[in-house]
């Protein structure tokens, strides 16, 4: 005789199955955030903009003091870059790079399929400048008319000089550019073959000092002094990496921020750390380089508002200047250039007094 289930038995079986499914679903949802967190890339590589110098101290301070580790990030290497950092990060060889923000804007315009995104701005002022022999009598952009300046096409100052001249109302100035390799800038300046060099203050001034110049021998025409102020060096990653690894990005940004604060507080200790890693480093030269870098980092604006306190107006000005100077085909949305969503709170970004 075949038994027939009563309705109560059917309901009991159905209820048991439903309860089991609900328990399973609740377990899945409870575990999902943990799985997502574990899926983030925690081992990263960082590439600098150039050879390792005093300018890069904040990264090594952060590494030495365990700031990256404290936020669950392992930095496998902090490597020198030689002008190819944008490419290395966009290609995924490095997860982070430290590059000049204006150059990143130009890179993105040429490589729309692999855009980079700045997540922390270190240099509140641009390091772009024309470094001259004081004896040449060049004190302002209009004085550059007819002068010989080392830095041909493809160098940062040559290609952006229109930004400086426009801001200084000196657009009719004609500079006699001398196109040579950057390693020849200093020697030519020393021999008097050029009146000045175009480049970054934290690069060209120390290079001149190594050749026997003193700071009193030089005069610097900084872009930022004549209304052509833009942001400078910034920590960048790809938009894809930032979207997929938000906690890792926050950890790296937080560590760099603390390393920067420590470097501002004790620059000599930061230099000694670099010297320990590179015994060939010349501390007197690197002290000048780091002083210049910290001057671009710890500006009056930063002292009041905190590190990486990017304003919409200045960011837009930086973008517009690059679009005009290079005749870029697109004017990028500021949100695709820089984001503040990975920053620590403002109180944690205030530099030491």
């Amino acid at each position: 005789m075949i038994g027939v289930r009563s309705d109560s038995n059917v309901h009991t079986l159905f209820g048991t199955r439903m309860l089991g499914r609900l328990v399973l679903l609740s377990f899945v949802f409870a575990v999902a955030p943990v799985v997502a967190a574990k899926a983030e890339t925690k081992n990263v590589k960082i590439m600098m903009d150039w050879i390792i110098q005093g300018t890069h101290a904040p990264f090594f301070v952060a590494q030495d003091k365990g700031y990256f580790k404290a936020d669950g990030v392992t930095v496998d290497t902090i490597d020198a870059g030689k002008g190819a950092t944008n490419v290395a990060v966009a290609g995924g060889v490095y997860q982070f790079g430290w590059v000049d923000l204006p150059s990143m804007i130009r890179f993105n315009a040429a490589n729309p399929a692999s855009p980079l995104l700045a997540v922390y701005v270190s240099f509140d002022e641009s390091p772009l400048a024309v470094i001259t022999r004081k004896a040449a009598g060049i004190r302002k952009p209009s004085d550059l008319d007819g002068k010989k300046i080392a830095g041909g096409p493809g160098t940062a100052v040559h290609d952006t000089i229109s930004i400086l001249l426009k801001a200084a109302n000196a657009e009719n100035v004609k500079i006699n550019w001398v196109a040579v390799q950057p390693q020849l800038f200093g020697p030519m300046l020393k021999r008097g073959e050029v009146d000045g060099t175009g480049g970054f203050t934290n690069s060209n001034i120390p290079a001149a000092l190594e050749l026997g110049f003193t700071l009193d021998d030089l005069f610097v025409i900084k872009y930022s002094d004549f209304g052509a102020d833009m942001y400078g060096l910034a920590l960048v990653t790809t938009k894809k990496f930032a979207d997929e690894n938000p906690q890792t990005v926050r950890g790296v940004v937080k560590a760099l921020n603390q390393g920067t604060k420590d470097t501002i507080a004790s620059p000599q200790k930061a230099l000694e750390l670099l010297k320990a890693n590179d015994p060939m480093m010349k501390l007197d030269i690197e002290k000048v380089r780091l002083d210049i870098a910290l001057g671009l980092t710890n500006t009056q604006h930063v002292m009041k508002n905190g590190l990486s306190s990017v304003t919409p107006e200045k960011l837009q000005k930086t973008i517009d200047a690059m679009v005009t100077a290079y005749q870029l085909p697109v004017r990028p949305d500021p949100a695709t250039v820089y984001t503040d969503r990975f920053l620590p709170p403002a109180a944690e970004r205030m530099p030491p007094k």
Side-chain angles (χ1 to χ4, degrees), residues 317-332:
K317 185 176 181 180
T318 302
I319 294 170
D320 292 344
M322 293 303 292
V323 169
T324 301
Y326 288 100
Q327 298 182 339
L328 300 181
V330 294
R331 189 176 303 275

Side-chain angles (χ1 to χ4, degrees), residues 3-326:
V4 180
R5 288 191 226 171
S6 68
D7 287 346
S8 61
N9 287 338
V10 171
H11 287 307
T12 300
L13 182 61
F14 178 77
T16 302
R17 287 177 176 173
M18 284 301 295
L19 179 61
R21 288 173 184 172
L22 288 172
V23 170
L24 179 61
L25 283 172
S26 66
F27 176 76
V28 169
F29 284 122
V31 171
V34 178
V35 173
K38 287 183 178 179
E40 286 205 21
T41 299
K42 293 298 184 180
N43 284 66
V44 301
K45 295 194 295 182
I46 306 174
M47 178 177 271
M48 300 293 95
D49 59 318
W50 198 242
I51 60 174
I52 304 301
Q53 297 171 320
T55 307
H56 306 119
F59 288 90
F60 291 89
V61 169
Q63 181 80 314
D64 182 70
K65 291 193 174 184
Y67 294 148
F68 294 109
K69 283 282 190 184
D71 278 282
V73 179
T74 298
V75 176
D76 291 329
T77 185
I78 302 173
D79 288 340
K82 293 186 177 179
T85 308
N86 284 322
V87 175
V89 178
V93 179
Y94 288 80
Q95 288 71 42
F96 294 90
W98 206 44
V99 302
D100 187 51
L101 184 63
S103 77
M104 189 208 82
I105 293 170
R106 185 186 179 198
F107 176 85
N108 282 358
N111 300 273
S114 53
L116 300 177
L117 178 68
V119 292
Y120 185 87
V121 173
S122 297
F123 280 13
D124 189 55
E125 289 183 359
S126 172
L128 287 168
V130 178
I131 295 90
T132 70
R133 289 182 296 109
K134 188 176 288 185
I138 302 170
R139 300 292 183 268
K140 55 188 183 298
S142 60
D143 295 336
L144 291 168
D145 195 39
K147 297 296 191 295
K148 289 184 178 180
I149 303 298
T155 59
V157 167
H158 174 279
D159 293 352
T160 63
I161 196 67
S162 61
I163 299 172
L164 171 63
L165 298 180
K166 181 178 180 180
N169 296 314
E171 293 176 90
N172 293 327
V173 165
K174 302 297 181 185
I175 297 172
N176 184 4
W177 292 101
V178 181
V180 293
Q181 292 299 313
Q183 58 265 33
L184 296 177
F185 285 11
M188 292 186 73
L189 188 67
K190 183 69 174 176
R191 294 192 297 264
E193 296 170 357
V194 294
D195 300 301
T197 68
F200 288 178
T201 51
N202 58 302
S203 295
N204 287 28
I205 293 175
L209 298 183
E210 285 195 272
L211 294 173
F213 281 100
T214 68
L215 290 174
D216 286 338
D217 295 328
L218 305 172
F219 191 87
V220 183
I221 298 179
K222 296 193 296 183
Y223 278 42
S224 56
D225 285 345
F226 293 91
D229 192 23
M230 299 179 287
Y231 289 112
L233 285 161
L235 180 72
V236 307
T237 186
T238 62
K239 182 182 183 303
K240 183 176 186 295
F241 187 87
D243 288 343
E244 295 177 354
N245 302 275
Q247 292 305 318
T248 298
V249 176
R250 285 190 185 92
V252 172
V253 168
K254 184 178 179 181
L256 175 58
N257 179 71
Q258 189 59 52
T260 302
K261 290 171 63 176
D262 288 2
T263 303
I264 292 170
S266 302
Q268 188 59 37
K269 287 183 179 179
L271 286 173
E272 289 169 1
L273 172 62
L274 289 175
K275 177 73 171 179
N277 291 327
D278 180 8
M280 300 299 291
M281 186 172 283
K282 299 176 182 177
L283 282 184
D284 56 341
I285 298 296
E286 293 310 315
K287 182 182 185 307
V288 172
R289 193 189 311 277
L290 182 56
D291 285 347
I292 293 170
L294 293 181
L296 298 167
T297 301
N298 195 23
T299 63
Q300 290 296 319
H301 173 78
V302 165
M303 291 178 193
K304 182 179 179 181
N305 300 283
L307 293 157
S308 196
S309 293
V310 173
T311 67
E313 297 79 15
K314 187 170 177 178
L315 180 59
Q316 188 65 61
K317 185 176 181 180
T318 302
I319 294 170
D320 292 344
M322 293 303 292
V323 169
T324 301
Y326 288 100

